[in-house]
Amino acid sequence: IVDDHVPSFLKVLKFMNWKTKARIQNVVSMLPESLGYRFYYMIQRHFGGFRNPDPREGLEAGIAICEMIADSGRDINDKVFLEIGTGWRINIPIALWLRGAKKIITVDINPYIKLELIRQDLKYITDHQAEIVDMFKNSLNADRFRRLLHTGKQKCGLRESLSLLDIEYLAPMDASKLQLPANSIDYQISNNVFEHIPPDVIVSILKEGNRLVRNNGLFVHRIDFTDHFAHSDKSITFVNFLQYNDREWEKIVRNKFMYVNRLRVDDMERIFTSTGQRILSLYPRLDPSISELYRGGGLALDEQYKFKSEETLSTIICWVVSEKCR
């Protein structure tokens, strides 16, 4: 029944504003779990980020992680990574593996991963080999790249594909309670994940990371501070959701697919340091249009955000590189 009616229903989504989309997501989240995941995936496939799968963004994020690790005086080769929040695809683990990582353990509370998307990403890489090689410049492991291309041609199942790329996938899995040995990980990483996790759970994940990550290891996390509805609804700003108090926001968005904690970069800094970590580097990206609204007094903010600085409110993306205090 769902398959018969979803395509025509999805066509309407294209013209809906963000509040209507939030209501639909709230309804989808109340479906039985397996059906809810399937329905949400179909929405993303038709009108979300999966319409035209392109692995470059994930590969570039993986390369950026490697560069920040190198800038911190550490090595990538033969190291073990722990990725928090796999999502639907494995392009960051692929990039790490192509740069020489020994193993990538990737965990997710939700079993989102899709073989269909992985195969399409591998096909894109196969069809654009020169572009991918150029992206990695001189850091690409040529032998592994050939193995990756071979894996894409084989049409392997999910587990076999992951195994061939030295990727271990754990889902559903609580990243704050991992059955992994202490001091067995070199780098804990994530990309656009921490904004979707409650603050107390982030603390638990980082503390678990302190147990798992070796003394010379690092934590590298990219956090997206934007109102995610603004990516599709251009009538609102990236800080649109900061005008609501917690109760008002929870009435509008109360689903697992679009949960955001609405923390700002200063809040994240405090969380990292509260877990016994020392921040080595911050790589923030600021939105000038938010600064203009701030200076002109046109930025609508709830009381909990009114006393934050212009720089804090204008930071829409930030990489945080930290290490545990010894």
Side-chain angles (χ1 to χ4, degrees):
I1 296 175
V2 172
D3 288 339
D4 289 341
H5 294 281
V6 162
S8 58
F9 166 75
L10 289 173
K11 293 177 183 178
V12 185
L13 287 179
K14 188 174 183 179
F15 307 100
M16 292 181 178
N17 65 26
W18 70 274
K19 284 189 175 181
T20 305
K21 288 182 179 179
R23 294 189 191 102
I24 292 171
Q25 289 168 345
N26 292 339
V27 172
V28 172
S29 71
M30 292 187 290
L31 294 172
E33 193 169 82
S34 60
L35 184 59
Y37 286 140
R38 180 181 170 194
F39 200 94
Y40 183 69
Y41 174 70
M42 293 182 71
I43 292 175
Q44 292 297 316
R45 200 78 164 104
H46 283 263
F47 291 101
F50 304 152
R51 285 174 295 176
N52 300 297
D54 184 340
R56 287 176 296 180
E57 183 177 351
L59 295 174
E60 287 170 352
I63 293 169
I65 289 170
C66 293
E67 291 174 349
M68 282 180 274
I69 290 172
D71 288 344
S72 299
R74 274 78 163 183
D75 190 20
I76 290 96
N77 290 318
D78 208 32
K79 295 298 189 292
V80 179
F81 286 76
L82 171 63
E83 181 188 32
I84 308 299
T86 313
W88 305 86
R89 301 148 81 186
I90 56 168
N91 294 313
I92 290 177
I94 286 175
L96 301 176
W97 184 72
L98 289 175
R99 284 286 298 260
K102 178 181 181 180
K103 181 179 183 180
I104 304 95
I105 302 170
T106 180
V107 304
D108 205 319
I109 194 70
N110 299 305
Y112 284 146
I113 200 167
K114 284 286 185 182
L115 180 59
E116 174 187 26
L117 295 178
I118 293 172
R119 284 178 174 171
Q120 289 190 347
D121 287 336
L122 291 177
K123 184 179 186 306
Y124 182 98
I125 293 170
T126 300
D127 293 343
H128 300 82
Q129 294 180 41
E131 178 186 358
I132 302 302
V133 170
D134 184 63
M135 183 186 297
F136 282 82
K137 303 190 183 304
N138 296 323
S139 63
L140 183 70
N141 184 307
D143 179 62
R144 287 189 173 186
F145 190 56
R146 286 190 290 270
R147 286 167 58 187
L148 179 72
L149 298 177
H150 179 73
T151 300
K153 293 175 182 177
Q154 293 303 301
K155 300 295 182 182
C156 302
L158 178 60
R159 292 296 172 184
E160 186 180 0
S161 297
L162 296 176
S163 177
L164 289 170
L165 304 176
D166 297 317
I167 299 170
E168 181 179 355
Y169 177 55
L170 304 176
M173 180 63 65
D174 183 348
S176 67
K177 300 174 182 177
L178 294 171
Q179 301 300 312
L180 298 174
N183 303 310
S184 61
I185 302 296
D186 293 291
Y187 307 117
Q188 185 199 75
I189 64 168
S190 74
N191 182 59
N192 301 343
V193 172
F194 274 13
E195 66 267 22
H196 299 293
I197 301 176
D200 59 325
V201 180
I202 297 175
V203 169
S204 298
I205 290 172
L206 290 174
K207 286 183 176 179
E208 176 71 338
N210 289 341
R211 181 184 74 84
L212 296 173
V213 173
R214 298 184 176 102
N215 286 337
N216 196 43
L218 284 179
F219 298 74
V220 184
H221 296 279
R222 184 184 193 269
I223 303 160
D224 183 345
F225 296 101
T226 64
D227 182 333
H228 291 13
F229 286 111
H231 293 277
S232 58
D233 188 340
K234 302 305 180 182
S235 70
I236 60 175
T237 70
F238 284 141
V239 290
N240 174 69
F241 58 179
L242 300 187
Q243 65 184 292
Y244 302 98
N245 62 40
D246 291 339
R247 182 175 295 180
E248 291 169 338
W249 182 248
E250 287 170 6
K251 286 182 179 179
I252 299 171
V253 182
R254 53 182 186 280
N255 69 81
K256 61 188 176 184
F257 300 115
M258 281 299 289
Y259 169 80
V260 285
N261 52 41
R262 301 194 301 157
L263 297 174
R264 302 292 91 195
V265 63
D266 57 339
D267 301 317
M268 283 293 183
E269 287 184 66
R270 283 192 290 272
I271 285 177
F272 275 79
T273 56
S274 75
T275 64
Q277 294 194 17
R278 181 168 70 96
I279 295 177
L280 300 177
S281 304
L282 292 174
Y283 299 89
R285 191 174 89 201
L286 279 62
D287 183 344
S289 66
I290 296 174
S291 293
E292 290 177 11
L293 285 172
Y294 182 94
R295 294 170 188 169
L299 194 61
L301 296 169
D302 181 63
E303 289 296 326
Q304 63 184 309
Y305 302 107
K306 282 185 177 179
F307 300 102
K308 292 188 178 293
S309 69
E310 175 186 333
E311 182 176 358
T312 294
L313 292 169
S314 301
T315 300
I316 57 172
I317 301 288
C318 190
W319 285 97
V320 181
V321 181
S322 63
E323 64 180 0
K324 61 182 182 181
C325 298
R326 298 190 289 274

